[in-house]
Amino acid sequence: MTEKPNASRRNCLIKLVQVAAAIPLAGVAAHAMAAKNDALRKSLQYQDTPKDGKDCKACAQFVPGASATAKGTCKIIPNDDEISPSGWCTAFVQKK
Ligand code: SF4
């Protein structure tokens, strides 16, 4: 027995709908993983560049990302996983 043409077309349409439905979710998941705490960044005058030779990777509050150059997190800036190892803010504490 062979599959009826309508059944084959239906299966193809179902697969297309499944793929189309998954695309926006993949975008949302990627977006949900990256977050910035703009309010606290502003109050701490966070910047993505070092200041006076001091940067996040030398700060005791910095939690490194997957590599030396990857963005990480900061112990005092919650809900933010976009802290640059080369960044700086007024709460800098020299790592011992
Ligand atoms: Fe960077 Fe400031 Fe956090 Fe230290 S306290 S890791 S300087 S954002």
Side-chain angles (χ1 to χ4, degrees):
M1 295 200 98
T2 59
E3 200 173 358
K4 292 180 182 177
N6 280 346
S8 176
R9 188 177 303 142
R10 187 178 330 124
N11 288 341
C12 184
L13 284 172
I14 288 170
K15 283 188 172 54
L16 276 172
V17 168
Q18 288 171 335
V19 169
I23 290 170
L25 291 176
V28 168
H31 181 72
M33 292 180 351
K36 289 183 180 178
N37 186 335
D38 290 329
L40 198 47
R41 280 177 175 228
K42 188 174 181 183
S43 70
L44 295 174
Q45 299 172 32
Y46 174 84
Q47 59 190 45
D48 277 330
T49 55
K51 183 165 184 177
D52 300 331
K54 297 173 182 169
D55 59 20
C56 293
K57 65 180 174 289
C59 177
Q61 309 292 2
F62 186 61
V63 179
S67 70
T69 56
K71 302 232 171 143
T73 60
C74 173
K75 294 174 188 170
I76 64 166
I77 304 180
N79 305 317
D80 194 320
D81 55 8
E82 291 285 309
I83 302 296
S84 170
S86 301
W88 174 89
C89 84
T90 56
F92 176 88
V93 176
Q94 181 65 47
K95 198 186 293 181
K96 294 185 180 180

